[in-house]
Amino acid sequence: GQNIDQPTEMTATEGAIVQINCTYQTSGFNGLFWYQQHAGEAPTFLSYNVLDGLEEKGRFSSFLSRSKGYSYLLLKELQMKDSASYLCAVARLGGGYNKLIFGAGTRLAVHP
Amino acid sequence: DGGITQSPKYLFRKEGQNVTLSCEQNLNHDAMYWYRQDPGQGLRLIYYSQIVNDFQKGDIAEGYSVSREKKESFPLTVTSAQKNPTAFYLCASSAQTGDTDAFFGQGTRLTVV
């Protein structure tokens, strides 16, 4: 089976830095994704990691440690519009099929 | 413009009726997925398909059915056997290799009354 764990809620201040953690247990690991989802809308892609290390993309960075089953999403220079849910998703390859499994998401509230 | 389209955005149905949600993509993606999202929750996988005429059950397939007769289309039927069908349904597609991100439709909010 697979387990993906993220904190349920986080709060942060505008202009600050926040780190959202994700731990997972799965066989056939084939990459980890981070998505942003505003209420009532579809998720939008933020980042993809398949090898260990840090991927940086503007204000957002994502880190992966496959041996620890651990990832984090780092958001810098927080803006009010960053208030959203952040979903960690693991691609799992098994039996010739690739499944994309999501965690429950972390609701981030950014305050002035 | 390439993309993935779900319709309708809002859908109301009476209890006991089957209802079919549409999902169409013109991204030439092989893989398509259906997810269900309940308020304050993450996405749970209902069904997924890697190629035409083939699909697999996800984690919560009971009460749902799908078909994949064309590469572009992956409709989801919510049957009367689904005990709690009111939810936000999201369709996604991705390249088959799995090392690219999934593109999502705008979702269908189904309310059963």
Side-chain angles (χ1 to χ4, degrees):
Chain A
Q2 53 265 329
N3 278 330
I4 302 175
D5 292 310
Q6 308 177 233
T8 303
E9 292 183 353
M10 299 184 71
T11 59
T13 304
E14 193 176 14
I17 298 173
V18 70
Q19 177 174 312
I20 303 174
N21 296 324
C22 172
T23 58
Y24 64 90
Q25 294 176 314
T26 189
S27 56
F29 177 79
N30 196 31
L32 187 142
F33 298 83
W34 284 96
Y35 285 84
Q36 181 191 61
Q37 186 181 28
H38 286 97
E41 298 180 8
T44 55
F45 170 78
L46 291 177
S47 69
Y48 170 72
N49 296 69
V50 68
L51 300 176
D52 292 350
L54 187 68
E55 295 281 341
E56 297 187 78
K57 190 184 293 185
R59 294 190 298 115
F60 295 1
S61 302
S62 58
F63 171 83
L64 176 67
S65 169
R66 289 172 296 170
S67 62
K68 295 181 179 178
Y70 169 69
S71 173
Y72 67 73
L73 179 70
L74 193 71
L75 292 75
K76 304 175 187 174
E77 301 169 15
L78 280 172
Q79 302 175 10
M80 299 297 290
K81 68 178 182 179
D82 297 329
S83 294
S85 287
Y86 292 86
L87 308 175
C88 172
V90 171
R92 177 176 178 265
L93 192 61
Y97 293 95
N98 190 63
K99 293 168 62 173
L100 192 58
I101 305 298
F102 283 79
T106 299
R107 286 191 299 279
L108 174 66
V110 180
H111 300 292
Chain B
D1 288 334
I4 181 166
T5 302
Q6 287 184 245
S7 61
K9 190 170 183 179
Y10 298 96
L11 189 57
F12 294 86
R13 278 294 181 267
K14 291 184 178 180
E15 194 172 344
Q17 288 183 334
N18 290 359
V19 59
T20 297
L21 281 58
S22 168
C23 179
E24 303 278 333
Q25 54 98 1
N26 60 4
L27 299 165
N28 200 33
H29 284 167
D30 287 307
M32 296 188 75
Y33 306 83
W34 273 106
Y35 293 91
R36 169 184 172 136
Q37 188 173 35
D38 294 286
Q41 305 295 314
L43 279 65
R44 292 186 289 168
L45 183 63
I46 305 173
Y47 268 98
Y48 61 108
S49 169
Q50 298 287 141
I51 55 173
V52 173
N53 293 322
D54 185 52
F55 47 83
Q56 300 294 314
K57 292 182 178 180
D59 300 317
I60 55 164
E62 185 175 349
Y64 299 98
S65 65
V66 293
S67 62
R68 188 83 188 277
E69 297 177 1
K70 298 185 300 182
K71 188 176 185 177
E72 303 79 19
S73 179
F74 191 41
L76 173 75
T77 297
V78 184
T79 75
S80 56
Q82 168 51 236
K83 298 304 179 188
N84 188 19
T86 295
F88 186 46
Y89 291 88
L90 285 158
C91 179
S93 71
S94 69
Q96 188 173 1
T97 56
D99 61 355
T100 58
D101 62 296
F103 288 77
F104 282 85
Q106 287 305 301
T108 294
R109 189 167 299 281
L110 173 64
T111 303
V112 175
V113 296

